[in-house]
Amino acid sequence: MNISVINPLYNKGSHIQRAIDSVLTQTYTDFELIVVDDGSTDGSTEILQAYTDARIRPIMQENAGARAARNHGIADARTELVAFLDADDEWHKDFLESALSLREQFPKAAVWGTAYGQIMANGESVPIMLRNELWAKRDGFLIDFFRESLVQQPCNCSSMLVDRGALQKVGGFHTGLVW
């Protein structure tokens, strides 16, 4: 397998099936799905245990937060590439394929992110668009991620493919940060 998908799970019983199904139906299928159950108490664990796909590796831990769950998944990953999908998010069926295509285009990068959208409470889908008029981009490459981040969120955890070694080098996710 080439990618470890890490899914932190805590009390998302009403969403976890949709999230897992969006991974299992990817057009790119050479992955493992590590679901780190962070001490769920709402029936999420039972939903997870109903899956029989051999690519799914459930990990149980006491509640320590999403960042700690992501770090646990990174430590247990069997690949050098990791992608994250929060339990209340879902991917388009070609997300992994698109992220790998970005990796081929930009092999020196350590993080490859795609556009994403939000589903509003009324069911409306709203794409998140980068503000072309403010910051220079070249062929889809965001020149100054940090400057763009001051005015909007150019990508989120569920829209990134990351080099696992780079994550480990920086110490993973900081568990003491709120945002």
Side-chain angles (χ1 to χ4, degrees):
M1 76 198 77
N2 288 327
I3 300 174
S4 295
V5 177
I6 300 169
N7 179 252
L9 169 62
Y10 178 70
N11 288 348
K12 296 291 183 182
S14 60
H15 302 284
I16 188 61
Q17 185 173 352
R18 179 174 43 88
I20 290 174
D21 289 349
S22 80
V23 176
L24 297 178
T25 58
Q26 288 292 298
T27 55
Y28 181 85
T29 60
D30 194 14
F31 61 82
E32 67 175 344
L33 172 56
I34 302 170
V35 182
V36 183
D37 189 329
D38 191 37
S40 293
T41 59
D42 72 340
S44 297
T45 304
E46 292 75 17
I47 294 168
L48 172 60
Q49 290 172 341
Y51 282 91
T52 59
D53 192 301
R55 296 172 294 179
I56 299 175
R57 287 198 304 132
I59 297 173
M60 307 303 180
Q61 72 176 31
E62 288 189 29
N63 183 255
R67 289 165 196 81
R70 287 187 191 105
N71 288 339
H72 195 159
I74 293 165
D76 284 12
R78 296 176 179 156
T79 68
E80 290 306 313
L81 293 173
V82 295
F84 302 97
L85 180 66
D86 287 348
D88 59 353
D89 290 344
E90 66 182 289
W91 284 338
H92 285 272
K93 66 181 180 176
D94 63 350
F95 168 74
L96 290 176
E97 193 174 325
S98 296
L100 284 170
S101 175
L102 288 171
R103 182 175 183 246
E104 288 176 17
Q105 292 175 53
F106 303 100
K108 292 182 181 181
V111 178
W112 303 270
T114 67
Y116 67 99
Q118 293 179 322
I119 307 291
M120 309 310 285
N122 66 2
E124 178 187 4
S125 179
V126 179
I128 304 301
M129 304 298 288
L130 293 177
R131 297 163 47 124
N132 290 329
E133 73 277 8
L134 292 180
W135 312 114
K137 292 189 296 284
R138 178 180 42 88
D139 296 329
F141 186 75
L142 186 62
I143 301 301
D144 192 336
F145 174 86
F146 298 102
R147 177 169 271 189
E148 186 71 29
S149 294
L150 293 173
V151 294
Q152 69 183 57
Q153 188 175 355
C155 60
N156 68 29
C157 213
S158 291
S159 68
M160 296 187 300
L161 178 68
V162 185
D163 178 275
R164 182 171 163 243
L167 275 171
Q168 291 171 320
K169 188 174 184 178
V170 298
F173 287 86
H174 190 300
T175 58
L177 293 177
V178 175
W179 180 258

